[in-house]
Amino acid sequence: MLPKPPQRGSPTGWSGDRPAALVAFRGACSMRQDTDALGATALPEGSLYGVHTARALANFPVSGQSVAPELLSAFAWVKAACALANQDAGHLDAARTSAIVAACREIAAGRHTEQFPVDALQGGAGTSTNMNVNEVVANRALQLMGRQPGDHEFLSPLGHVNLHQSTNDTYPTALRVAALTLLKDLETAASRLQDALQAKEAAFAHVVKVGRTELMDAVPMTLGMTFGAFAEAVARDRWRIFKCRERIKQVPLGGTAVGTGLGAPRAFIFKAAEHLRHLTGLPVSRAENLVDATANADCFVEVSGILSAFAANLLKIASDLRLLASGPHTGIGEIRLPALQAGSSIMPGKVNPVIPECVGQAALTVMGNHQTVTLVAGLGQLEINQYLPLLAHKLLESIRLLRDASTLFADKCVAGIEADETRCRELVEKSQALATVLVPALGYETVARLMAEAQAAGRSLAAHLDAVGLLPQAEAATLLAPKRMRKLGFEEEDYKSLRRPGA
């Protein structure tokens, strides 16, 4: 069996000298020759990639990170759509088309991943990824037709698989397809998190707690309201994600090098996006202005901005949950997060809020990625963006991070949160929450004076009001009832048990 080519981080040394690792790999295999305009190079006999991939391996030993698998799958669908469009236009026969499409389906399903070793960060605006895909599709199609990889006189990576295409229209098209697919998954994950938060909103509707501003005690509210606010924020993110997909559904496929369609027959240009829509089930269509869709990347900045907004909400929610669970004995401790692992190698019994912390790190990464995406879009020059591989890497990473973090957050954290009702009640009683509730009836100055009297007497405000005959302590609790907290504003009857001073 042919050994697999060296992979990143493998013992053969991709994290160091990758060309040397490839040379060592070649020495262990029977070889075949593959040729491009720069000359011939030796490749393992059974490899599906070719000379263009080998040159990219030698040229870009940079990040040690692979091209996103979603981008490769999307690229495969783009190549299949182009093959079908070329068949419709009379430029590709049925046998070759069938083999190319079959090879593309295998790649789109996640097969042959070891044949895509090119670094995610590459020069040429994504040319190396396009060539890598062309070579693997062509050589796998040759195998499916009973021929050997490298028989490019019969089926060529450039002459057949890449027919009437350019990297400049296929790469941004594949990026849109990959992003659309991942955004659909992200919308589902956001919905899952929203549902989990809404479940806690209902479960904690009866739990009165202290609201806080500037990290200081403010006014009473229910714990359910806190989770309801979280859920509402995520609901907005879910809607934004759904809407932002509209921004990237128009693809530049058929525009070839600069969006003019030069080198491609009209019949192909009008059919390619139609086949892509049918193959992927995504609502893609050919852009009305192919030059614009080829040259400009602002649509990706808009999508990335939506992702950054979602990340901001996740970071806020994660941080709030850490605060509400802090202590638990010496902090706020109003909620209990699921205990998932030991929190310290030296402090027995310590449990940390690990899921909110993980989610927070994912959110911060997405925010940083948005800055990169924005800069890349602005640095594009004339008719193409030379840094599109970096944009693709960061954008797809952001969607994937948010998808996985949202699911993790919902399932391993939010779903298991419990309220410490005793602690919530204790903090409400210790706070000045009742004082704020009394202000509409007694006035700010009067309540401030009563608070000072209570503190001087060493008793709670509720006990002091009872002692001076203004409000029975048993009745004070009704002013802090969950039903009262959920009511928008107050009515005079809310204070019927209260006797005004001097009355």
Side-chain angles (χ1 to χ4, degrees), residues 28 102 107 116 131-132 143 178 197 205 245 265 306 327 329 347 363 378 391 396:
I107 295 166
F116 297 97
M131 299 296 262
N132 191 181
Q143 288 181 333
L197 291 166
R245 289 162 60 191
I306 295 299
H329 304 297
M347 294 172 280
L391 188 153
L396 298 180

Side-chain angles (χ1 to χ4, degrees), residues 343-361:
S344 173
S345 61
I346 193 172
M347 294 172 280
K350 189 173 189 289
V351 178
N352 294 327
V354 292
I355 298 301
E357 290 170 352
C358 175
V359 170
Q361 291 174 80

Side-chain angles (χ1 to χ4, degrees), residues 200 203-209 223-224 227 324 333-337 416-424:
K200 294 303 173 182
F204 301 152
H206 67 287
V207 182
V208 178
K209 66 180 289 291
L223 187 58
F227 280 83
L324 293 175
E334 291 176 342
I335 62 172
R336 290 186 290 267
L337 303 180
I417 291 175
E418 298 175 345
D420 189 331
E421 297 187 32
T422 301
R423 177 64 172 168
C424 288

Side-chain angles (χ1 to χ4, degrees), residues 9 132 237 328 490:
N132 191 181
D237 289 314
F490 68 88

Side-chain angles (χ1 to χ4, degrees), residues 381-444:
Q381 294 176 314
L382 303 177
E383 280 68 54
I384 191 63
N385 192 304
Q386 69 279 9
Y387 297 142
L388 204 58
L390 175 59
L391 188 153
H393 187 62
K394 294 299 184 180
L395 181 69
L396 298 180
E397 180 187 49
S398 289
I399 305 174
R400 199 163 47 240
L401 278 171
L402 290 174
R403 177 198 64 191
D404 295 344
S406 297
T407 302
L408 185 73
F409 209 6
D411 294 350
K412 304 204 80 171
C413 181
V414 176
I417 291 175
E418 298 175 345
D420 189 331
E421 297 187 32
T422 301
R423 177 64 172 168
C424 288
R425 188 181 312 112
E426 173 191 344
L427 292 178
V428 169
E429 291 172 355
K430 287 182 177 180
S431 75
Q432 299 179 9
L434 181 59
T436 307
V437 173
L438 292 173
V439 166
L442 300 181
Y444 187 96

Side-chain angles (χ1 to χ4, degrees), residues 40 42 114-115 158 197 205 219 258 268 306 313-314 413 417 445:
E114 73 281 357
Q115 301 295 335
L158 293 174
L197 291 166
V219 298
V258 297
F268 167 85
I306 295 299
N313 278 332
L314 288 182
C413 181
I417 291 175
E445 290 78 8

Side-chain angles (χ1 to χ4, degrees), residues 99-112:
I100 288 171
V101 171
C104 289
R105 288 186 181 278
E106 291 182 356
I107 295 166
R111 295 180 59 186
H112 314 300

